[in-house]
Amino acid sequence: AAAAAAAAAEVVTCVPEKRALHVEVVLKRLRMPPAAVAAAINMLNTDQLKPDDLASIRSILPKPEELQAVRDAKEDAEKKLVAAAGHSPRTPAADAAAAAGAVAPVTPSTLSPRLGIVEAAFDALGGVELLQAKMRAMEFRYDVDAVGSMVADYTADIGRAFDALRSGSLQYLLAFVRDVANTMNRAGPKGPLAGFKLESLARLQSTRMSGCTDLNLLHYIVAHISAVLPGVLALDGEREAFRAACRRGSFDAGELQGCA
């Protein structure tokens, strides 16, 4: 009984110390038992494991020789438990007796030795079928979610900019600029403007008032609107919407390729 208790209390370790230390650090960061980590990968659970978690797990995946060493050490420990408990090992004769209705012997497969935390992690991960394929599928899901979020943010900013263009205050200001331009060019051959490009607004600063070098057309428009309808110049929401859209610039497909 004492031998059996000693064998059951023994912790199976076989992974070299330096390698084991690195794996333990990663496992502590995951804050999940090895069996739960393996189960999450097996079920493709992207809610339980985040992209950083999966990258950490990939850094500690057992090599084939490491996995085999853990399995050999586990099997040896199971045999020791059987021997310490005074049971005979599993043989074809014992299997035949069990099939005939005799009491089945306790075998290594019915005993479970205590594995070290690293060895338990290797054993659990090694038991996941198609481990690499399932991890790649999870990584692909992360990429799809990231791209979807990027597109949603982009279209939301552009949508807010279009909404800002339709605001009454901005429409009034743009119409006033158009009317001022038509007044200044009424003697010209082209006739009145129906509209203008937004880039033309930059010319308001370069167009000087007649007989005055200190004031430009932009100064005049701001002064006039401030006196007539001062609230129109606030444009707080519109200004932020335009800034957000300008920061987006044109949609860069290369950013999507970088995420994939």
Side-chain angles (χ1 to χ4, degrees), residues 19 60-69 122:
R19 167 74 161 147
I60 64 168
L61 288 180
K63 299 175 183 177
E65 58 271 21
E66 291 176 326
L67 189 57
Q68 187 60 51
F122 283 2

Side-chain angles (χ1 to χ4, degrees), residues 24-112:
E24 286 183 16
V25 170
V26 172
L27 291 175
K28 288 180 180 178
R29 188 161 59 242
L30 291 174
R31 296 182 180 180
M32 295 172 61
V37 173
I41 296 175
N42 192 47
M43 299 299 294
L44 303 178
N45 192 332
T46 53
D47 291 328
Q48 195 169 7
L49 291 176
K50 302 305 179 185
D52 290 345
D53 296 333
L54 208 64
S56 297
I57 294 169
R58 188 172 288 285
S59 73
I60 64 168
L61 288 180
K63 299 175 183 177
E65 58 271 21
E66 291 176 326
L67 189 57
Q68 187 60 51
V70 170
R71 288 171 176 169
D72 291 344
K74 181 180 179 182
E75 183 178 351
D76 290 342
E78 288 172 344
K79 291 178 179 179
K80 288 181 181 179
L81 284 174
V82 170
H87 298 287
S88 58
R90 185 170 185 171
T91 64
D95 289 341
V103 176
V106 177
T107 67
S109 62
T110 64
L111 297 171
S112 180

Side-chain angles (χ1 to χ4, degrees), residues 142-207:
Y142 297 141
D143 291 341
V144 169
D145 290 345
V147 170
S149 177
M150 180 190 303
V151 172
D153 291 344
Y154 178 89
T155 54
D157 282 342
I158 299 303
R160 282 189 287 269
F162 277 115
D163 290 340
L165 282 173
R166 301 186 187 99
S167 76
S169 295
L170 185 61
Q171 290 290 329
Y172 178 86
L173 285 173
L174 294 177
F176 183 77
V177 171
R178 180 201 60 196
D179 292 344
V180 170
N182 283 332
T183 299
M184 296 176 63
N185 297 322
R186 61 181 178 274
K190 295 183 179 180
L193 297 174
F196 57 87
K197 295 181 178 180
L198 291 178
E199 62 189 28
S200 301
L201 293 173
R203 300 177 187 173
L204 296 178
Q205 286 184 299
S206 60
T207 303

